[in-house]
Amino acid sequence: MAAIEQIGRGSSASAGKAKPASEFWTVTRLRIAGAIALLAVWEIAGWSGLFFRGVLPSTVFIAQAMFQLLTSAEFYWHLAVTSFEVLVSFLIGCSLGTVVGLVLGSRKYTGDVFEPFIHYLAPTPKIVFLPILLVLFGVGVWSKVALGAISAFFPMALGVAAGVRQVSPVLLRVGKTFNLTTMQTVRMIYLPALVPPLATGLRIGLGISIVGCLLSEYKLAKAGLGFLAGQYYEAFSVANMLAVLVIIFILASLGNTLIEKYVRLPGPGDVQAHR
Amino acid sequence: MTAVNTATVVPPVRRRAAGKPLLPPLVARLLFLVFAIGFWEVASRYGWINAFTAPAPSAIWSGFIQIIVAGELGAAFVRTFLEALAASAIGAIGGIAIGWWLHSSKKIGLAYTSWVAAAASAPLVLLYPLFLVIFGRNSSTIVAMGALGCMPPIILKAKDGLDGVRPVLLNVGRAFSLTPRQQFTMIQFPAALPVIFTGIRIGLLFAIINVVGVEFLIAFGGLGELISDLGDRFDYPAMYAAIFFVVLVSIAFFYLTEKLEIWLLSSK
């Protein structure tokens, strides 16, 4: 996951370099053309008769369904349930991940012994743990919270552990000279230096806790956006189902953007300057 | 004087212990595993934890033997393996083709690479109900979801790899008047392969995660369905066994491809 994040960031960074005005307009025109082409493909495929009627509803119907959803009280109840699950699982997973990452990164032997467990468990499909979590926590929100938290834990722990190892030993020695306690060292040296891995971990963590919570809602739940999409699927109300999916994607990218914009704790530049 | 004082404050035995750990990390890791499994066994047998919801490791082992003997595990593994392979093949071919397209024109690359990067970090697996509606509840949906999951990293790495091919190699190709196809198959692709492999490796992992995940969610197919099915039958020891099997297969796959990637990158 971290590798993907780097791929994504690297590529978008190179794509976002300062460009001459004419190039900017060419790229913008290409993007608009691409978006129109994708919409046209969708509409033509829907009308072509290649698929069963109603399988690919027109974007007009999807927009209508979105409007209806956004003006219904029931939708906000499901949104509240999913938001609660995602936020709590995100907080639990990321907090645990940060603590474990700090321990693994700062203590070499502990890291050598235990980090391979996390490293190799991280890319396994977490959804398969859902039956165990359903047995342990029931079909309500807590099994979803548990799965979301497990999902968010791994990238956070690995990112923080790697980040801790990159903290300059000079800073740690300065801390020792000032007789800082462990908590002070974490707060005053590790955390400021860890802003980039924390921000990345939080972004990946949020993304996959959303996936964890929603997938478990799809499988077995009593409320939530995943449950709602599942219900629309079973009723073959495809426009409504797609409207829920579009809203989920918009909310997920909104959360991603918010973290990217606001996770700027004490200036990382200060720490970089000391390296 | 100072040396004598230090020696009295920090005994030599403790110093050696801090410098060199008692056990190598691998041994400590294995001991921890043995201890954890042993503790779980005892806790389950003595009723410290609920043996029905968290069966003892010995019961899980019996469940493992049971699903092997019944042939369920083998059949499910083969099915998942084939689905993941098909998804990865589609994802790799499509991904390399799109990566080449993004590489072929600077403007196209600038316009659409950030879209692919956004797709790489978007929760695409949540789209599976759409694919269910299009393809129905069968292997096509599972393969399509696997291919969709594995394509973005392959596209991005293929573009990165092709962008990074040294101009001198391309010039050699031109000097030999290679056709564009020869240039791609004989120079660009082999030179970009180590970087593309990194994308394929991440893509394969995503394909496996999506394939098993969708199998589990729609209760159809291989290992994912087996887990779902055993859970529905309340056969928890066998369900735990199937879950651990999926985890172990993922770990083995991740480990092997990691080693292969290191070897490829070192031989670049």
Side-chain angles (χ1 to χ4, degrees):
Chain A
M1 255 341 241
I4 266 297
E5 198 65 15
Q6 280 165 5
I7 295 170
R9 290 174 78 84
S11 304
S12 49
S14 62
K17 276 180 193 165
K19 301 183 277 275
S22 64
E23 197 174 68
F24 171 79
W25 285 114
T26 314
V27 167
T28 309
R29 275 201 294 272
L30 276 172
R31 283 185 179 162
I32 293 170
I36 292 172
L38 285 177
L39 282 177
V41 167
W42 178 273
E43 294 289 344
I44 292 167
W47 289 107
S48 66
L50 285 171
F51 301 94
F52 288 116
R53 207 171 147 200
V55 164
L56 298 179
S58 162
T59 45
V60 179
F61 294 138
I62 299 173
Q64 274 178 350
M66 261 177 85
F67 180 75
Q68 279 172 0
L69 267 178
L70 292 171
T71 49
S72 76
E74 192 199 354
F75 168 76
Y76 290 97
W77 160 243
H78 291 295
L79 178 65
V81 171
T82 301
S83 306
F84 173 80
E85 288 167 2
V86 170
L87 281 177
V88 176
S89 63
F90 175 65
L91 284 176
I92 296 173
C94 289
S95 315
L96 279 176
T98 307
V99 172
V100 171
L102 281 171
V103 173
L104 294 182
S106 57
R107 292 167 194 277
K108 192 180 175 305
Y109 184 68
T110 314
D112 287 346
V113 174
F114 292 106
E115 198 169 328
F117 287 125
I118 297 177
H119 177 71
Y120 287 108
L121 276 174
T124 55
K126 309 292 172 310
I127 187 74
V128 297
F129 292 108
L130 184 64
I132 299 179
L133 300 173
L134 284 171
V135 172
L136 295 178
F137 298 104
V139 292
V141 292
W142 296 109
S143 52
K144 283 81 194 167
V145 168
L147 190 74
I150 291 173
S151 306
F153 167 81
F154 288 96
M156 199 67 187
L158 288 174
V160 170
V164 168
R165 277 190 214 106
Q166 283 174 7
V167 172
S168 164
V170 176
L171 293 178
L172 296 173
R173 278 201 290 274
V174 171
K176 270 188 189 157
T177 313
F178 281 98
N179 285 329
L180 297 188
T181 62
T182 309
M183 279 313 289
Q184 283 173 323
T185 312
V186 168
R187 190 165 55 84
M188 298 165 90
I189 297 178
Y190 281 125
L191 282 183
L194 283 173
V195 172
L198 273 176
T200 309
L202 287 174
R203 287 178 59 220
I204 306 173
L206 179 69
I208 62 174
S209 61
I210 290 175
V211 171
C213 291
L214 283 165
L215 287 186
S216 38
E217 282 177 3
Y218 276 134
K219 182 71 179 171
L220 192 63
K222 291 183 275 192
L225 292 180
F227 167 76
L228 188 63
Q231 276 207 320
Y232 284 133
Y233 163 71
E234 278 167 22
F236 201 69
S237 179
V238 183
N240 281 315
M241 182 192 86
L242 286 173
V244 177
L245 292 179
V246 171
I247 293 171
I248 290 170
F249 272 84
I250 292 173
L251 291 175
S253 53
L254 201 69
N256 202 9
T257 313
L258 282 176
I259 290 180
E260 197 163 69
K261 201 168 178 186
Y262 290 107
V263 182
R264 295 270 186 278
L265 301 169
D270 302 338
V271 179
Q272 294 287 341
H274 286 92
R275 278 184 187 170
Chain B
M1 235 358 232
T2 319
V4 173
N5 282 343
T6 313
T8 48
V9 173
V10 184
V13 176
R14 212 178 136 193
R15 255 195 206 167
R16 217 180 301 130
K20 197 181 172 195
L22 206 62
L23 293 169
L26 181 67
V27 178
R29 205 177 303 140
L30 289 174
L31 273 179
F32 171 79
L33 262 183
V34 170
F35 176 77
I37 293 170
F39 179 77
W40 183 356
E41 180 75 36
V42 172
S44 189
R45 286 198 178 192
Y46 285 91
W48 302 340
I49 54 174
N50 188 334
F52 179 68
T53 53
S58 54
I60 296 174
W61 179 253
S62 308
F64 183 62
I65 302 295
Q66 170 206 317
I67 51 178
I68 286 183
V69 172
E72 289 176 291
L73 191 67
F77 173 72
V78 170
R79 185 155 190 173
T80 298
F81 178 77
L82 291 177
E83 283 168 350
L85 196 69
S88 311
I90 295 170
I93 294 168
I96 292 170
I98 298 174
W100 179 82
W101 180 62
L102 292 177
H103 155 82
S104 63
S105 153
K106 193 181 162 214
K107 282 171 190 160
I108 288 173
L110 281 173
Y112 302 123
T113 305
S114 57
W115 285 16
V116 183
S121 52
L124 290 180
V125 67
L126 298 177
L127 286 176
Y128 89 85
L130 172 66
F131 285 77
L132 265 182
V133 179
I134 296 174
F135 294 111
R137 190 171 158 271
N138 53 47
S139 287
S140 313
T141 297
I142 297 167
V143 173
M145 282 311 301
L148 183 74
C150 84
M151 221 182 266
I154 298 178
I155 295 173
L156 293 171
K157 276 293 174 189
K159 181 187 179 291
D160 281 355
L162 292 169
D163 283 349
V165 175
R166 285 187 297 150
V168 65
L169 296 176
L170 300 174
N171 289 337
V172 170
R174 282 191 202 106
F176 280 98
S177 302
L178 296 188
T179 62
R181 179 185 281 193
Q182 286 171 323
Q183 186 87 328
F184 179 77
T185 52
M186 297 168 81
I187 293 182
Q188 287 177 300
F189 185 71
L193 191 61
V195 182
I196 295 176
F197 184 79
T198 304
I200 292 179
R201 176 171 169 258
I202 300 168
L204 282 173
L205 285 169
F206 280 23
I208 292 176
I209 291 174
N210 276 10
V211 163
V212 176
V214 176
E215 278 178 354
F216 172 73
L217 289 166
I218 66 173
F220 185 89
L223 291 168
E225 190 205 5
L226 181 65
I227 292 170
S228 177
D229 191 32
L230 290 167
D232 290 345
R233 282 191 257 154
F234 297 103
D235 189 351
Y236 290 138
M239 181 190 81
Y240 270 77
I243 292 172
F244 288 139
F245 181 73
V246 167
V247 170
L248 287 176
V249 167
S250 305
I251 291 173
F253 178 79
F254 182 57
Y255 178 80
L256 289 175
T257 50
E258 191 179 51
K259 294 287 169 223
L260 191 60
E261 183 187 10
I262 292 168
W263 176 74
L264 263 178
L265 287 176
S266 64
S267 64
K268 189 181 176 183

